[in-house]
Amino acid sequence: MQVIDADIVIVGAGGAGLRAAIAVAEADPSLHIALLSKVYPMRSHTCAAEGGAAGVVKANDSLEYHFNDTVSGGDWLTDQDAVDLFVNEITKELIQMEHWGCPWSREGSGHVAVRPFGGMKIMRTWYAADKTGFHMLHTLFQTSLKYPSIKRFDEYYTSDLIVDDGACHGCTAIEMRTGEMKLFRGKSVIVCTGGAGRIFPFTTNGAIKTGDGMAMAYRAGVPLKDMEFVQYHPTGLPGSGILLTEGCRGEGGYLLNKDNYRYLQDYDLGPATPTPVLKSMELGPRDRLSQAFWQESKKGNTVQGKWGDIVWLDMRHLGEKLINERLPLVRDLSISYVAADPVTDLVPVRPVVHYMMGGIHTDINAATPIAGLYSAGECACVSINGANRLGSNSLGELLVFGARAGRFAVEHAKTVKAPRDALVTAQAADAEGRIKALFKRSGGKQRVSQLKREMNLSLEEGCGIYRDEKSLRDTVAVIADVRARYRDVTLEDKSSVYNTDLYQTLELGAMIECAETVVHSALLRTESRGAHQRLDHVERDDVNFLKHSMAYYNPNGDPRIDYHEVVITKSQPAARVYGAAAGGQAA
Amino acid sequence: MSKRTIQLEVLRYRPEQDKEPFFQTYTVPCEEEWVVLDALNYVKDEIDRTLSFRWSCHMFVCGSCGYKIDGEPKLGCKAFLRDYGDNIRVEPLDNFPIERDLVVVIDDFVEKLQSVKPYIIAKEEKALAAGEYIQTPAQLKAFKQYSMCINCLLCYSACPQYGLTNQEFIGPAALALAHRYNMDSRDVGRSAREHVLAAHEGVWECSFVGACSVVCPKDVDPAGAIQQAKFTSAVDYLTSMVGIGGK
Amino acid sequence: MGARRPYMRTMSKTSWFMTHARFKTYMLHEISSVFVALYMWLLIDGLFRLAKGPEAWEAWLSFIKHPLVVVISLIAFAFFVIHTMSWFKAVPQAMRIQQGEHFVDGKLIIGGHYAALGAFSLFVLILAGVA
Ligand SMILES: Cc1cc2nc3c(=O)[nH]c(=O)nc-3n(C[C@H](O)[C@H](O)[C@H](O)COP(=O)(O)OP(=O)(O)OC[C@H]3O[C@@H](n4cnc5c(N)ncnc54)[C@H](O)[C@@H]3O)c2cc1C
Ligand code: SF4
Ligand code: FES
């Protein structure tokens, strides 16, 4: 097996991975960086983010406001030391992006413009029209080309982390164009592989968001934290699951039920003012809006369309000029996918799985419990998102914690001597052996697509916007069954060059591992908090569950679920208030 | 939902077993609102797991899914079946070597992208504490269109110059990106990029066929960017001749 | 390289433009410039003849009245028109005029060019005493 030595190995070249790579290159240009990604960096799913990135910059705003919005938005499951650090560092990161060329939208004066976003009391979301993530990703990618120490390995599928004696020494990855497995040895490893929304059937997440990195770290012994908190975004296009950014509502769009009534006023989010007020109505947090949809649907107030239940997103009153300037992609997508022009028509929408609040357990330095292993971005859980992420906090998160991961990985690398060669090589050989065995396996009757479908549907049915003990137990059983049958999957494609059957099969394995942590954590959390709503335990239970769930891998059975204290510094858990009582600013 | 059955003719090439590419036809039951990418995914999931193609976002922003569809370079996730007949032909993009099936080798493009120095070259480093650069909406507008490129490479597939020069021509997207940075009020790197743009394989290789701008799914108008770059390049040349010096 | 065997499709240097309607139009456009060049040559020749003296000039005049030459001239004129149109059409792409946050509408720029062409033609015709 070919061995590639680097000082810092970074797995994933989305927003977080690229930011980490640049941080390493700037901290110490003499370090060799290997940046691996299963797709070309600009294909990473950060490109899909539309709305923006929050950072305090205007005179009427304060760090404390951003802190409070984030902590209460996360239903107090956030670690407050991490949030504090985050709100303090994010603006600097956003300015850094500006210096690197990110085309932020501007005010007439030439200063960056900000827009309102759900759950934020003050307008503080920086944006680049409705393609913020796209511009951030391309800015980071293009800027990364400046640094000779960043060596990219594009289209390398990382299969396993090499962990020995409580420390991480690298990873194994398959070069997709040749099918050859290589061993990457490094003193520090940073995992930035993004989310796992694809475990659900209806999601805004791209094909690559299969939780590979979460599963790798999980298998290596790192707990996955708070995996039961899965964010549904209230406005996905039915059928395709394509996202219509929260910006639609930030600019003043309404959500209407079948009677053209702004139903959110019935869910403690009112009063219904004609122009948007922050933290009210359509600018409430995502968990509450998605839950309101579910309730409306139970009451028979949603519209039965050809795509099932939907409600309407009404942007007609915003006018063509504003829509073209601020929401051009939204218009394009709506016309193309549901034949509705927001300028003249109501657009059908429904909640769609969007973001994993949980992920690889890290501390505020992006370090995992395994020495030399760091993680940042959507795959990590610091946690600043708690039980519900506020829109526009995750693009910020990947910058702040991506950069921190890079810097702390550099610090760690300085302390490491050469890895223990023999053991590392043996582990890599094991990883290769597993792939070879998969190629050799024959006669299995299980199809990847069938297993994936079963997993997807059972999660949606049993572990969706609302859950209860029975639905969760059913899902637990289905996932266990899928996991058992997965061992019998046979590759239909036995070739080496760009074998996507192989990668989809490996991805399914990762997804099953993520799914089991989601459903087991959800089953044991007998309370309702943020995005985790139990019909059989409707109240938040701070006595027993003001804690992070920690799912540990168990090769022979269900994950072991443990708990970890939440860091509370200055904000004691209280009721989450939205609507009139929240005192949000007019947007 | 209304169903419809199409014949999907896909150019296959598996280097380990096929001497050269050939067409394979799949019969695909489709939903009315599907795009070509959905039909390909149906094939992958239900009919033939050996078919390889790239895709990710399904919302025309990641740039992975460029294929030649009925002879025209298109994004698979933006090619709606309703705009096609019942026989649809899908091939890999032209002008790139075929790695396998619909997957092409794009190393050459990635090198070219890097060669134009696609990052801000600032006059002097500005401290973060000093805040953002002031850039008016008008200054933003001057380059914004050229920053919208998703690197889907449809333009390279459509560009005969790229094919005829055996991939020597730097090509539409990379040149448009160079122009994007040249036009950015925060950037002073035009002279650093000039030797690439003005080289033989640079803007002057473009014979203004204009196909790139026709096929671009993001209205980047690389052809326009190149013509503008020709103009500035010529001016730079003339001013340097008379010793004034450019940007 | 291992199992890789990237397949390079070849592009014919002589018949590539037959592969797409768009290229055929482009090629026709390019080839048509031969006619335009011929016509230019004819005009320049006329100038030389004029300079040589009345006889040469008369001969040239009768030459261009020959039906065959008239037909070629008409074709050339048609191509002239097409080239002018396509050139004008491309101008807004190559020469964007920005006013504040907006670009001047391409149609206006194109219209401006036609107007200028019209005005210039009229001027020439007046000079020539035709109008
Ligand atoms: C449609 C949409 C809109 C959004 N809008 C917003 C918004 O407005 N504001 C906001 O703050 N957030 C938004 N988000 C969330 C935010 O975009 C994501 O959380 C964030 O971009 C994740 O970035 P990342 O770098 O962690 O991961 P990604 O960008 O997903 O990158 C993951 C990287 O890991 C690599 N990788 C994965 N697995 C492997 C493997 N096995 N081997 C090698 N490489 C691997 C991939 O190739 C990729 O390079 C949105 C999300 C979506 C889906
Ligand atoms: S310029 Fe247009 S066609 Fe070319 S790569 Fe960019 S987005 Fe694609
Ligand atoms: S799949 Fe991303 S552009 Fe088509």
Side-chain angles (χ1 to χ4, degrees), chain A residues 73-125:
Chain A
D75 219 349
W76 278 273
L77 199 66
T78 48
D79 280 343
Q80 295 182 13
D81 54 345
V83 178
D84 220 6
L85 185 137
F86 168 70
V87 299
N88 265 292
E89 289 195 6
I90 178 55
T91 305
K92 208 171 68 199
E93 282 291 332
L94 294 173
I95 293 171
Q96 177 66 78
M97 288 299 291
E98 197 276 339
H99 290 187
W100 283 334
C102 188
W104 297 117
S105 293
R106 305 279 177 160
E107 293 174 348
S109 65
H111 288 286
V112 292
V114 288
R115 66 160 42 136
F117 236 70
M120 302 273 188
K121 184 184 164 95
I122 308 270
M123 285 200 264
R124 66 169 72 95
T125 297

Side-chain angles (χ1 to χ4, degrees), chain C residues 62-77:
Chain C
S62 64
F63 172 71
I64 58 163
K65 282 179 190 148
H66 188 279
L68 197 72
V69 182
V70 171
V71 169
I72 294 181
S73 306
L74 280 176
I75 297 176
F77 180 72

Side-chain angles (χ1 to χ4, degrees), chain A residues 177-194:
Chain A
R177 56 167 66 174
T178 59
E180 283 162 22
M181 188 173 252
K182 320 233 158 144
L183 167 60
F184 288 82
R185 288 191 305 198
K187 295 172 184 158
S188 305
V189 177
I190 312 176
V191 176
C192 302
T193 48

